[in-house]
Amino acid sequence: MIIAVVGCTHGELNFIYATIEKLEQDNNFKVDLLICCGDFECVRYGVDNDCLNVPNKYKKEENDFRDYFTGKKKAKVLTIFIGGNHEAVNVLKQLYYGGWVAPNIYFLGYSNIHNINDFRICSLSGIYKKYNFYKRYNEHYPYDEISKVSSYHIRKYEIEKLKLVKDKVDIVITHDWPNNIEKHGDMNELLRRKFHFQSDIYNNTLGNPHTEFLLNKLKPYFWFSSHLHVKYSAIFLHSDKKNYTRFLSLDKAEPRKHFIQILNIEKRNNIPYLSFDHLPKSSANETEGKSQFFNDDYEKLLQHVEDVQRKDAQEGGQASTGKEAPKGEDVPTEEEAPKENTPGESNAQENTAQGNTAQGNTAQGNTEQENTAQENTTVEEDATAERKQLYICYDEEWLAILKANHHLLAEGSDKDYNLEKLKYPSKEDFEYIQDKLKNLENISIKGKDYYLVHGYNNPSYKNLWEQRQVFLNRFDFEELRMYDDFERLFFAEEVRKMDTGLPLDNPKLAEDQENGQEGKPEEPGQNNQTDEHGERSPNGDNTPHSGNESNQNKLSIDS
């Protein structure tokens, strides 16, 4: 899967998609998935702009997202994003569990785990501030300057849910950095570019201490962040000296900034590896695959990691064939690396530390015939490559964690969910979720069943409130106590205006209340319309998803 990772988006969707299209044309590949690491700024109309915590000099009357929301444009590549510290709060709050904000553009939620094909992706929106960490979600529309800021601060409840995860995670996406991660990369180079980080690094306050715990607990293969507007990569070697995490942070989306990275991630034996098959064969640099980003000490660390990987691959090969590998014979490796870019160019072909770690393993598990076939691959064949069909699916363990602890955040609870001790789901919780999932459309990937989230047409991506209701109804979860009565009326008025084609910039809540016509949130299934392009959603058809869908169409992917 070829993934494009982008730093802070800041509403520059046209620039990002144009950059991806140029990279695809120049290098003869297709990006399958775009990951945006926060500050997405999905502003649909004027009220969203009022709820956006951005200095007035940076605010735009309309940003690029509006064209994708109205259907004037459509994202060609599946785009997923998390929330940062510059977001339209009123939009993302309605999609606490995640949902579509436009065709092919999906918000991952406040904290969540999704399966996209066979990649398990963990996400956490917002940034850490100690003074709000133990507070409830008390922000409501209309937002003042204080509540616009506190609304995107991470709460303890989100961290505690993620701490319960036991199954292996492939990718973690956060907006701010895990604390102390800067010490595992070239910190001198970081301080040369961002000297004002010095005091935070000295005081151990540059990142989030709670995601540092998650880094050690989850041990993901990749961790993507942004927030600090600098490109930075690091290798975090875990305490077992065997598992490691490739960390990558990127700059904001502006010309002449290192805001995008193209990664070709393949799974072999259920382990993600970086591959460079999407790059031209002539792009090997002059340093024989060795990065100049790290100093000598880190080069030794990278070599140690490569040796551990090579040893694991040899042991895995012996176990599968039942034969011992000849002594003194190494697993073949590739010494290819992307070419260096000139300043100002997109760094999709830049050789990062993450790439160097996996270069020695690109050929592991491949036969000699497969390597020969790769070398004979022509540019014409690459040019005809098509984008892979991706499916956003629920994660069974995560849903069970929600089932075991959702009551703390539900309307009927008076407990402080940030102060309660969360519990790992019981066997009954897993059985409950498995029973609910049987009613949903599913897809088989490499022999394992995954269950699809609703498509962006059913309900319509424009109806954010109904999308959340669909999720709650599917698993019989109680409504959240994050919304007050005025907020509910405001969201219902939004939906009414969109359905009737009225302008959205001047809500008529006060006028309706005077006339005794208070709006109510619509029930799920009332607004099931096809998108403006008349196309199907990547996840399912255009029929209503009420939570009791029959499992008639079962798809299968074997590779």
Side-chain angles (χ1 to χ4, degrees):
M1 182 190 297
I2 297 181
I3 299 175
V5 185
V6 170
C8 299
T9 307
H10 291 302
E12 298 292 339
L13 288 179
N14 291 341
F15 176 56
I16 291 172
Y17 289 133
T19 302
I20 291 176
E21 186 174 359
K22 182 68 164 58
L23 290 171
E24 291 177 336
Q25 293 174 354
D26 291 348
N27 298 284
N28 299 308
F29 61 74
K30 290 290 185 182
V31 171
D32 302 309
L33 177 67
L34 170 61
I35 297 176
C36 298
C37 298
D39 289 351
F40 194 79
E41 299 183 15
C42 46
V43 176
R44 305 165 299 174
Y45 60 101
V47 172
D48 296 348
N49 228 347
D50 295 337
C51 299
L52 182 68
N53 177 43
V54 173
N56 289 330
K57 65 178 180 179
Y58 294 115
K59 280 191 177 182
K60 304 176 183 178
E61 187 173 345
E62 289 185 8
N63 67 14
D64 296 344
F65 176 76
R66 183 178 177 87
D67 288 341
Y68 296 89
F69 175 76
T70 59
K72 185 177 180 181
K73 296 180 180 179
K74 183 178 179 181
K76 295 181 180 179
V77 56
L78 177 62
T79 303
I80 59 175
F81 72 96
I82 59 170
N85 58 315
H86 299 297
E87 303 291 356
V89 181
N90 60 313
V91 176
L92 302 190
K93 184 177 181 180
Q94 298 183 67
L95 297 174
Y96 176 83
Y97 296 105
W100 301 96
V101 295
N104 269 0
I105 302 178
Y106 189 87
F107 172 54
L108 294 173
Y110 277 46
S111 61
N112 221 325
I113 296 180
H114 291 88
N115 291 284
I116 299 185
N117 287 24
D118 59 340
F119 284 87
R120 195 167 189 239
I121 299 178
C122 172
S123 58
L124 176 66
S125 294
I127 63 172
Y128 169 73
K129 290 296 180 183
K130 183 178 180 180
Y131 53 83
N132 279 326
F133 187 65
Y134 293 94
K135 293 182 180 179
R136 300 183 185 184
Y137 292 110
N138 292 320
E139 302 84 8
H140 303 289
Y141 182 85
Y143 300 97
D144 56 24
E145 295 305 314
I146 295 177
S147 60
K148 276 194 287 189
V149 172
S150 63
S151 61
Y152 57 72
H153 290 161
I154 297 171
R155 300 316 204 259
K156 183 174 182 287
Y157 179 69
E158 313 301 339
I159 296 292
E160 292 301 315
K161 285 188 295 182
L162 292 171
K163 285 182 179 180
L164 296 174
V165 175
K166 293 183 178 180
D167 295 342
K168 188 68 174 178
V169 171
D170 297 320
I171 297 172
V172 172
I173 310 168
T174 60
H175 188 58
D176 53 2
W177 296 14
N179 203 31
N180 288 312
I181 192 65
E182 71 279 0
K183 297 179 176 64
H184 298 269
D186 192 343
M187 195 161 59
N188 292 330
E189 175 65 16
L190 176 65
L191 289 174
R192 186 187 68 81
R193 289 180 287 168
K194 298 284 186 178
F195 183 76
H196 57 283
F197 287 177
Q198 188 171 20
S199 60
D200 286 333
I201 292 175
Y202 179 80
N203 295 318
N204 288 330
T205 57
L206 186 64
N208 185 340
H210 300 283
T211 51
E212 180 185 15
F213 180 90
L214 291 178
L215 173 62
N216 286 279
K217 170 74 165 55
L218 301 178
K219 296 181 175 63
Y221 296 103
F222 297 90
W223 190 298
F224 302 137
S225 297
S226 55
H227 186 47
L228 298 183
H229 292 179
V230 61
K231 182 186 177 184
Y232 190 69
S233 55
I235 299 291
F236 184 86
L237 188 63
H238 293 280
S239 57
D240 57 10
K241 304 300 180 184
K242 181 178 179 180
N243 290 294
Y244 64 93
T245 298
R246 300 180 181 92
F247 173 80
L248 175 65
S249 177
L250 292 163
D251 208 335
K252 58 183 175 180
E254 287 184 0
R256 305 188 69 82
K257 298 282 189 181
H258 289 170
F259 71 93
I260 188 170
Q261 184 76 46
I262 305 295
L263 301 174
N264 188 0
I265 305 178
E266 299 177 352
K267 268 199 169 183
R268 305 184 195 130
N269 298 323
N270 208 33
I271 298 177
Y273 288 95
L274 278 178
S275 172
F276 299 96
D277 295 341
H278 64 297
L279 297 173
K281 295 296 180 182
S282 60
S283 64
N285 62 18
E286 298 176 357
T287 58
E288 297 182 353
K290 290 296 182 182
S291 170
Q292 300 181 25
F293 189 84
F294 287 139
N295 56 32
D296 291 340
D297 291 338
Y298 279 95
E299 290 293 347
K300 293 177 182 178
L301 173 62
L302 293 177
Q303 186 61 50
H304 170 73
V305 172
E306 291 178 1
D307 291 340
V308 171
Q309 278 191 316
R310 189 176 294 110
K311 181 179 178 181
D312 291 344
Q314 288 176 331
E315 292 175 352
Q318 294 174 20
S320 61
T321 60
K323 299 180 181 179
E324 293 186 1
K327 293 183 179 180
E329 183 176 339
D330 291 331
V331 176
T333 61
E334 291 181 357
E335 292 294 333
E336 295 177 0
K339 66 181 180 181
E340 296 181 357
N341 288 333
T342 58
E345 291 182 344
S346 174
N347 59 332
Q349 299 179 19
E350 185 170 341
N351 184 18
T352 64
Q354 291 87 344
N356 291 310
T357 309
Q359 281 178 344
N361 306 290
T362 305
Q364 292 178 4
N366 289 345
T367 63
E368 184 177 350
Q369 291 82 358
E370 289 173 332
N371 289 332
T372 304
Q374 288 178 1
E375 293 173 359
N376 293 333
T377 301
T378 63
V379 173
E380 288 75 16
E381 289 174 333
D382 291 335
T384 60
E386 296 182 355
R387 234 180 287 279
K388 292 182 179 179
Q389 178 67 56
L390 301 184
Y391 300 89
I392 303 177
C393 303
Y394 294 116
D395 184 83
E396 184 178 315
E397 183 188 27
W398 182 253
L399 291 174
I401 290 173
L402 294 182
K403 172 65 174 64
N405 301 284
H406 180 269
H407 64 282
L408 298 174
L409 194 62
E411 273 186 323
S413 174
D414 58 354
K415 296 181 179 179
D416 188 337
Y417 42 83
N418 288 316
L419 301 180
E420 295 291 327
K421 184 176 181 180
L422 276 61
K423 63 179 182 178
Y424 191 76
S426 64
K427 180 181 178 181
E428 290 74 18
D429 292 326
F430 276 99
E431 291 175 348
Y432 176 91
I433 293 299
Q434 290 167 0
D435 184 62
K436 294 295 182 181
L437 288 174
K438 290 178 182 178
N439 298 319
L440 306 183
E441 186 178 0
N442 73 328
I443 180 172
S444 179
I445 301 176
K446 296 181 179 178
K448 183 176 180 180
D449 288 341
Y450 295 92
Y451 297 88
L452 305 178
V453 305
H454 62 84
Y456 57 72
N457 298 317
N458 38 65
S460 169
Y461 65 87
K462 295 182 178 181
N463 194 332
L464 308 179
W465 185 276
E466 188 177 354
Q467 288 190 63
R468 190 181 69 260
Q469 296 302 318
V470 166
F471 178 87
L472 295 172
N473 290 343
R474 282 183 166 187
F475 303 102
D476 287 338
F477 290 162
E478 190 179 353
E479 176 61 288
L480 305 174
R481 53 174 162 142
M482 297 170 58
Y483 316 99
D484 63 10
D485 292 338
F486 181 84
E487 209 166 30
R488 294 171 190 269
L489 294 175
F490 171 73
F491 293 148
E493 176 68 8
E494 270 190 339
V495 173
R496 185 183 72 82
K497 286 192 170 186
M498 282 188 286
D499 287 346
T500 56
L502 295 174
L504 293 168
D505 290 294
N506 298 309
K508 297 182 179 179
L509 282 176
E511 179 181 338
D512 289 344
Q513 289 174 356
E514 290 177 1
N515 297 332
Q517 298 176 353
E518 295 186 358
K520 296 182 180 180
E522 293 185 344
E523 294 298 324
Q526 291 182 354
N527 188 17
N528 302 299
Q529 52 186 309
T530 58
D531 71 312
E532 289 78 358
H533 302 270
E535 296 180 1
R536 290 182 55 177
S537 159
N539 281 23
D541 53 22
N542 291 322
T543 57
H545 282 238
S546 63
N548 297 313
E549 297 86 339
S550 61
N551 191 12
Q552 295 177 350
N553 298 323
K554 180 175 180 179
L555 305 175
S556 178
I557 296 179
D558 296 324
S559 60

